[in-house]
Amino acid sequence: MALVPCQVLRVAILLSYCSILCNYKAIEMPSHQTYGGSWKFLTFIDLVIQAVFFGICVLTDLSTLLTRDSGNQEQERQLRKLISLRDWTLAVLAFPVGVHTTVLPFILIEMRTSHHQYPSRSSGLAAICTFSVGYILWVCWIHHVTGMWVYPFLEHIGSGARIIFFGSTTILMNFLYLLGEVLNNYIWDTQRTKAPPGQDTQCNLSCDKPVQNLCKKM
């Protein structure tokens, strides 16, 4: 049994991210007052992504508690949609974007304690590419409007080098998505091999109650 229940841990992580975001916005920095504000920095966007992701996790836990043993098929269907949204957010945004910051330990804990179903590889890669290209276009637009790059080193390299850099970051994000998929499969395939014959790993080894409840109905 885990020392700290996953549900309590998720609430604590969510509150910590909300606190960090509030403190971040309270800091008086000249860059926060310029065009784009805090939203031009990937670090801030990542903090928002993590807060949204763990908010979805907490909402999933609350929904599970409220619908437990209700026998309402519509509520169970909505719960499955919420779980799918949680898993998609982890796969496409929370893990790939979070790898470049100190939030990674929280993501690894979440991945280790709860099974997450990754989307199809083609749709997942398409989504992460859309995010990457969208952020690159946003950075370029800020430069077009203000004449300044969000990241100063871009001022000191040529146009060709910038294209290579932006292309490399997009490839890196795709690699991080695949890394998350491989890591998730490794964790849960390893758990499955350790489980006694005839037992469902998702139902018995995960502390994710929504998955347990849904497994029991299968």
Side-chain angles (χ1 to χ4, degrees):
M1 179 179 295
L3 295 178
V4 180
C6 297
Q7 293 78 9
V8 176
L9 182 60
R10 288 167 181 157
V11 172
I13 294 174
L14 174 61
L15 292 177
S16 68
Y17 280 131
C18 291
S19 176
I20 293 172
L21 284 171
C22 290
N23 291 331
Y24 187 93
K25 295 296 291 185
I27 297 175
E28 294 293 337
M29 295 179 62
S31 58
H32 291 177
Q33 310 304 320
T34 57
Y35 184 82
S38 304
W39 291 98
K40 57 179 171 284
F41 300 112
L42 186 60
T43 299
F44 178 78
I45 294 175
D46 181 40
L47 286 174
V48 174
I49 289 173
Q50 302 304 323
V52 170
F53 169 67
F54 280 99
I56 295 173
C57 289
V58 171
L59 182 59
T60 301
D61 293 336
L62 290 175
S63 299
T64 302
L65 179 63
L66 294 175
T67 60
R68 180 178 297 170
D69 301 324
S70 66
N72 189 312
Q73 294 185 353
E74 177 60 24
Q75 289 180 341
E76 291 179 1
R77 187 174 68 86
Q78 295 300 325
L79 179 58
R80 284 194 291 269
K81 287 184 178 180
L82 194 57
I83 293 173
S84 296
L85 176 61
R86 180 202 64 182
D87 294 349
W88 186 92
T89 305
L90 172 75
V92 174
L93 295 175
F95 183 88
V97 181
V99 165
H100 86 292
T101 66
T102 56
V103 305
L104 180 59
F106 292 145
I107 293 297
L108 293 178
I109 291 172
E110 171 66 23
M111 186 176 286
R112 171 62 180 79
T113 56
S114 301
H115 181 269
H116 295 82
Q117 183 66 43
Y118 265 61
S120 66
R121 182 167 295 180
S122 58
S123 63
L125 290 176
I128 192 62
C129 282
T130 300
F131 173 83
S132 300
V133 173
Y135 181 70
I136 290 170
L137 292 176
W138 172 231
V139 169
C140 292
W141 175 254
I142 292 174
H143 175 262
H144 172 74
V145 173
T146 65
M148 299 181 62
W149 289 102
V150 174
Y151 304 102
F153 78 91
L154 293 173
E155 294 277 2
H156 306 290
I157 60 177
S159 300
R162 291 192 196 106
I163 294 174
I164 293 174
F165 172 74
F166 289 144
S168 299
T169 56
T170 302
I171 293 173
L172 176 61
M173 292 296 286
N174 280 266
F175 171 77
L176 293 176
Y177 173 86
L178 295 174
L179 176 63
E181 182 182 41
V182 170
L183 182 60
N184 181 72
N185 291 338
Y186 171 78
I187 290 173
W188 290 97
D189 285 346
T190 301
Q191 295 254 29
R192 190 173 294 111
T193 58
K194 293 180 180 179
Q199 290 188 358
D200 191 319
T201 304
Q202 292 186 21
C203 294
N204 292 284
L205 297 182
S206 173
C207 69
D208 191 345
K209 297 300 182 183
V211 175
Q212 292 180 10
N213 293 339
L214 291 175
C215 287
K216 291 176 182 179
K217 299 178 181 296
M218 294 176 61

